[in-house]
Every structure is written in structure tokens, then in C-alpha cells.
């Protein structure tokens, strides 16, 4: 692939992903990534020896939320809304390889194929950062869940279903992951009225491959009226645990979530000086 395929990606050309390189991709079955050093991450650097393992997890095959393993690649509308599936990238107009499969716009990951992701190309998610001021009256904190797959703490986000609006995904995922057992989910309806967008773009997710990657929209919902005081938040099935984390805790988080918390802090300082 030539550098010219990615001319439209120039605005993000300096960003280098880390969490989706140089590690074991899957433990069962064992799949290793081809090690990709920093300086060879960008496709624009020619690297004739690059030979990633091809991997698509058997668990995604035949799932309603996943593409067929061999889609009709000539008819699939890359970079477009394809029926109910959004194949548009927030990053740029992505290129396709000689087999007509989308190419990760940020660069090499050491794995080709779809890995454990459902869609070829961008896999769209939505991340609600729900915040409040703690009882000490000054500490800004956010709702986090502990993921079952990696054990890492994370914002309780999730995948946008085919045909779903991002605004619906944000509410649905928060209810599923953080409001298990809450009968009156409508008690916090007001919270969703004033969202502040912090980010839309690529996620440095450990599941990314050369042909499939995560993108997200991150929205902050701040509970300024104490709506959540009367709700007993609890982790849902996809999560092991839930807690409020102070934004200054420096706690390591899943994928690019530390970056999203940094954006939250900057935004809060700007608006509350
Ligand atoms: C991350 O994966 C996104 O930022 C979002 O938090 C999450 C969505 O995937 P699942 O939680 O549905 O696995 O890249």
C-alpha cells in the first residue's frame, strides 16, 4: 500500500497506537502479534518483512452483530452508511488493501483479519462519562466498571448496534453496565439532557487489527442536581465491579480511557474557573 492511500488521514498522522501492538492478541487460541516497533507503525514506512498473523476469532462467526467472514467485498460500502451499518470512520476516508479489506488508518498492529471484532473497518462504540462532585464538595469523580475480559477499569461504554442512534447507545450501555437491578431506570432521565461531547475518533483498543478497529464518541453527563444519590448503581453482567473514581486518581484505565478522562478534566477546568 502506498503513502498516497492515506493522504486524507494527515490530521492524525502523528498519533501512534500502543495498546494494539507488540502483545499477545489472544490467549485461547494463542495468537501473537507480529512485533511492530514505533518507527514502523505507519504504513508510509516501507517494511518488506512485515508478516502479521491472520486471525478471526471463531466466536464472531455467524453472530448477528458481526459481518460475514467473507463479505461480498465488492458490494460492501466501505466509508459509507451501509444499510444499517455505519462504516464511516471519524478519522478519515480509509483505504482498502489488495483484497479490498479496510486498512487501519493509524497503522500496523501485527495482526491481520478481524480478530475478535465484529466489523471489518471501524467498529463504532459510545462512552458515557457520568460525573458528580463527591461528598467532600470538591472532588470530581466518574462512574467506572471493571471489565470482565481484561480485568481493567473502564468507562461503561459499549458498541453501537446496527441502526441505533449514539444517544440511545449511551443510555442503554449505562443502564446495562452500571444499573443492574435498578427498577426505575427513568429516575435519571434528566441526566441525559445535557451531554457535553469530549471526543469522537479512534480508540487505541487492544482488540484492534490491521483491518478492524474501534472508534467512539465520548460524552460527559454531569449530575449537578444529585439525581444519582437515590440510585444504587451496580455492575451489570459484562462487568465485575463498579465504583466512582476521582478524576485525579491516575488510575490506569482500559484502551484510550485515560485520555478521555484527561479531556474531561480539561473541559471541567475551562468551564468552572
Ligand atoms: C472501547 O471499547 C470503547 O471506548 C468502549 O468503551 C468499548 C466498547 O466495547 P465493549 O465494552 O462493548 O466490549 O474501545
Amino acid at each position: 500500500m502506498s503513502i498516497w492511500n492515506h493522504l486524507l488521514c494527515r490530521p492524525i498522522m502523528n498519533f501512534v497506537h500502543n495498546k494494539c501492538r507488540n502483545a499477545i492478541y489472544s490467549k485461547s487460541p494463542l495468537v501473537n502479534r507480529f512485533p511492530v516497533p514505533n518507527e514502523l507503525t505507519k504504513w508510509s514506512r516501507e517494511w518488506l518483512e512485515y508478516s502479521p498473523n491472520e486471525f478471526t476469532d471463531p466466536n464472531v462467526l455467524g453472530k448477528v452483530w458481526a459481518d460475514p467472514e467473507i463479505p461480498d467485498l465488492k458490494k460492501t460500502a466501505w466509508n459509507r452508511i451501509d444499510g444499517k451499518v455505519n462504516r464511516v470512520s471519524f478519522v478519515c476516508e480509509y483505504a482498502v488493501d489488495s483484497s479490498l479489506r479496510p486498512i487501519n488508518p493509524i497503522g500496523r498492529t501485527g495482526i491481520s483479519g478481524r480478530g475478535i471484532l465484529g466489523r471489518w473497518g471501524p467498529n463504532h462504540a459510545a462512552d458515557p462519562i457520568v460525573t458528580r462532585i463527591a461528598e467532600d464538595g470538591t472532588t470530581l469523580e466518574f462512574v467506572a466498571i471493571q471489565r470482565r475480559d481484561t480485568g481493567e477499569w473502564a468507562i461503561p461504554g459499549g458498541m453501537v448496534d446496527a441502526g441505533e442512534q449514539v444517544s440511545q447507545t449511551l443510555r442503554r450501555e449505562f443502564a446495562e453496565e452500571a444499573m443492574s437491578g435498578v427498577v426505575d431506570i427513568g429516575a435519571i432521565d434528566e441526566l441525559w439532557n445535557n451531554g457535553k461531547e469530549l471526543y469522537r475518533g479512534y480508540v487505541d483498543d487492544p482488540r484492534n487489527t490491521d483491518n478492524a478497529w474501534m472508534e467512539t464518541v465520548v460524552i460527559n453527563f454531569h449530575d449537578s442536581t444529585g439525581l444519582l444519590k437515590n440510585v444504587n448503581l451496580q455492575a451489570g453482567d459484562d462487568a465485575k465491579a463498579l465504583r466512582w473514581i476521582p478524576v485525579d486518581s491516575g488510575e490506569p484505565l482500559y484502551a484510550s480511557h485515560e485520555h478521555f478522562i484527561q479531556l474531561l478534566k480539561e473541559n471541567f477546568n475551562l468551564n468552572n474557573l
Side-chain angles (χ1 to χ4, degrees):
M1 199 201 63
S2 97
I3 184 175
W4 307 113
N5 292 80
H6 275 307
L7 273 184
L8 292 167
C9 297
R10 272 195 173 159
I12 47 79
M13 280 313 246
N14 289 332
F15 174 76
V16 174
H17 49 204
N18 285 306
K19 293 189 177 176
C20 56
R21 287 188 294 135
N22 295 346
I24 293 173
Y25 184 82
S26 153
K27 285 190 180 147
S28 174
L30 181 63
V31 183
N32 289 307
R33 289 184 186 273
F34 191 90
V36 179
N38 271 348
E39 65 278 12
L40 290 174
T41 303
K42 297 296 173 194
W43 298 106
S44 52
R45 285 290 306 275
E46 195 176 35
W47 187 14
L48 298 177
E49 296 79 22
Y50 181 59
S51 172
N53 279 324
E54 170 79 18
F55 177 61
T56 295
D57 192 308
N59 289 322
V60 306
L61 300 178
K63 293 287 187 315
V64 281
W65 42 263
D67 287 334
E69 176 55 0
I70 306 182
D72 186 342
L73 293 173
K74 286 196 175 133
K75 281 196 193 147
T76 309
W78 305 129
N79 289 297
R80 304 279 176 272
I81 303 288
D82 184 12
K84 286 188 168 180
V85 180
N86 180 6
R87 301 192 192 275
V88 180
S89 169
F90 294 134
V91 179
C92 64
E93 187 144 336
Y94 49 87
V96 294
D97 64 16
S98 53
S99 312
L100 300 181
R101 303 192 304 187
I103 296 176
N104 187 319
I106 302 299
R108 298 180 176 97
T109 67
I111 291 281
S112 59
R114 250 184 310 165
I116 56 178
L117 292 174
R119 303 276 174 213
W120 297 96
N123 286 251
H124 287 281
D127 284 294
I129 307 187
V130 172
T131 52
R132 71 176 181 193
I133 300 295
E135 278 176 9
D136 66 6
T138 53
T139 305
L140 179 66
E141 52 186 19
F142 66 99
V143 175
I145 50 104
Q146 190 179 21
R147 292 179 65 95
R148 278 201 190 278
D149 53 358
T150 65
E152 291 166 287
W153 287 90
I155 297 158
M159 301 290 189
V160 180
D161 290 341
E164 189 177 45
Q165 296 294 316
V166 167
S167 56
Q168 284 175 281
T169 313
L170 291 158
R171 296 170 68 144
R172 177 179 57 72
E173 284 293 336
F174 191 79
E176 285 174 12
E177 297 203 6
M179 295 179 79
S180 175
V182 175
V183 181
D184 184 12
I185 287 175
I188 63 162
D189 271 358
E190 230 179 89
L191 182 67
W192 310 114
N193 292 342
N194 292 308
K196 168 84 186 160
E197 181 170 324
L198 300 174
Y199 180 83
R200 63 172 58 207
Y202 188 83
V203 185
D204 185 10
D205 189 293
R207 296 169 291 188
N208 293 351
T209 71
D210 288 358
N211 305 113
W213 61 92
M214 292 297 305
E215 300 196 7
T216 195
V217 178
V218 181
I219 311 276
N220 175 216
F221 298 97
H222 185 63
D223 180 18
S224 52
T225 58
L227 279 175
L228 288 162
K229 265 189 195 150
N230 303 320
V231 180
N232 183 21
L233 296 181
Q234 269 188 52
D237 288 347
D238 283 353
K240 279 188 188 168
L242 176 149
R243 70 189 224 266
W244 288 90
I245 299 185
V247 295
D248 284 324
S249 68
E251 176 124 1
L253 298 173
Y254 179 73
S256 301
H257 292 193
E258 280 161 64
H259 175 58
F260 303 155
I261 296 304
Q262 184 56 35
L263 296 176
L264 168 75
K265 282 162 64 175
E266 286 163 19
N267 188 267
F268 238 83
N269 289 341
L270 278 182
N271 293 325
N272 295 289
L273 281 180

